[in-house]
Amino acid sequence: MSITKKINSPFDSLYGQTTAKIYLEQCLKRKQIAPAYLFTGNEGIGKTTCANFFAQALLNTKQLELHPDFLRIEPTYIRNDELIPVSMAKREQLSFKSQPLIRIEQIRDLIRFSHQSPTHSSKLVIIIESVASMQLCSANALLKTLEESSNCVLILITKSKESLLSTICSRCLSIPFYPLSSSQLEMVLATRDYPQITQDIITLAQGSPGGAIALYNHLQLIREA
């Protein structure tokens, strides 16, 4: 009797989002990769996680941030003429009065990166998080890249398509992401060492694991205060 070996999907550890996973798995299986994807849906439901898994599969790596053919763009703050990414600000518990933006300098870096040749892969891969936070000049510069770039795969992440230029949306394959069920959300929280989060918080989070964790941490700060 022959035993069929299960082929692991790069999205095995992503909870929910069946539509996105099936579509992206087929793209990889058939080697039909679009120049640009647009991941849309509420905050904290797995868009960035899925984008990371997709980028890892495209570049055949687990060390995404160290790969020479990968670039991540995220909103930044400005401090003393230095751009501070949102992730760094959270990690170092920095506070700013202004809203973080994707700035024209970052898109210029992206354009320079997109014009180089891949060194270890067939394509360059770029993830742009919170793409709706782009300044108008940044959005226009990105549109030019979407029109001209031939050796890149861009993955744009946003909450809503309505917040972007229609010309940008029209040049991307749009993939919707949906809120998780309560059971899926509970499983995600357990894997992230948050099994103590109550059902009340899970209900308030409306299918967003990231939202549930943020609410829980906020309540802990209030109790400590």
Side-chain angles (χ1 to χ4, degrees):
M1 180 177 67
S2 63
I3 298 176
T4 302
K5 183 180 179 181
K6 181 182 182 296
I7 299 175
N8 292 330
S9 163
F11 310 102
D12 277 346
S13 57
L14 178 67
Y15 288 90
Q17 311 309 341
T18 303
T19 301
K21 288 192 289 190
I22 290 175
Y23 183 82
L24 294 173
E25 283 170 354
Q26 289 301 311
C27 289
L28 292 168
K29 181 179 179 181
R30 297 175 180 175
K31 297 183 179 179
Q32 296 177 344
I33 308 300
Y37 296 85
L38 179 62
F39 290 5
T40 64
N42 292 341
E43 299 296 334
I45 59 175
K47 300 188 302 297
T48 296
T49 299
C50 185
N52 291 338
F53 289 153
F54 189 42
Q56 287 176 353
L58 290 170
L59 297 173
N60 191 28
T61 183
K62 293 294 184 182
Q63 303 295 321
L64 191 59
E65 305 299 335
L66 300 176
H67 200 286
D69 298 331
F70 174 73
L71 177 67
R72 184 187 303 276
I73 300 288
E74 60 177 302
T76 57
Y77 301 98
I78 292 183
R79 182 181 63 184
N80 298 328
D81 295 328
E82 179 187 4
L83 298 185
I84 308 295
V86 166
S87 58
M88 181 187 294
K90 289 180 179 178
R91 187 168 58 249
E92 299 183 6
Q93 297 183 330
L94 304 175
S95 60
F96 296 87
K97 293 182 179 180
S98 60
Q99 291 296 314
L101 299 171
I102 293 177
R103 305 171 194 279
I104 187 62
E105 303 97 303
Q106 295 175 273
I107 301 301
R108 287 173 182 153
D109 288 341
L110 182 155
I111 293 170
R112 283 191 290 269
F113 179 81
S114 69
H115 286 164
Q116 70 185 34
S117 299
T119 57
H120 290 70
S121 311
S122 60
K123 294 278 187 180
L124 303 169
V125 178
I126 302 170
I127 292 177
I128 308 180
E129 300 191 39
S130 302
V131 70
S133 67
M134 285 188 300
Q135 299 168 305
L136 181 59
C137 56
S138 303
N140 288 328
L142 176 63
L143 180 59
K144 186 175 178 65
T145 303
L146 288 170
E147 292 172 343
E148 296 178 352
S149 180
S150 59
N151 65 339
C152 286
V153 178
L154 284 91
I155 307 170
L156 281 56
I157 302 173
T158 188
K159 183 176 180 180
S160 169
K161 292 172 66 174
E162 284 68 32
S163 57
L164 296 177
L165 294 175
S166 60
T167 45
I168 288 179
C169 295
S170 66
R171 285 164 174 77
C172 301
L173 271 176
S174 183
I175 300 181
F177 285 69
Y178 303 100
L180 275 63
S181 66
S182 294
S183 60
Q184 290 170 336
L185 202 154
E186 288 171 4
M187 286 190 287
V188 173
L189 295 176
T191 62
R192 297 186 183 179
D193 297 325
Y194 283 94
Q196 70 274 35
I197 290 182
T198 64
Q199 190 60 48
D200 288 343
I201 293 178
I202 289 174
T203 301
L204 287 172
Q206 298 182 326
S208 167
I213 293 171
L215 283 168
Y216 174 80
N217 289 335
H218 183 63
L219 287 173
Q220 296 305 109
L221 288 173
I222 292 174
R223 287 166 183 161
E224 289 174 7

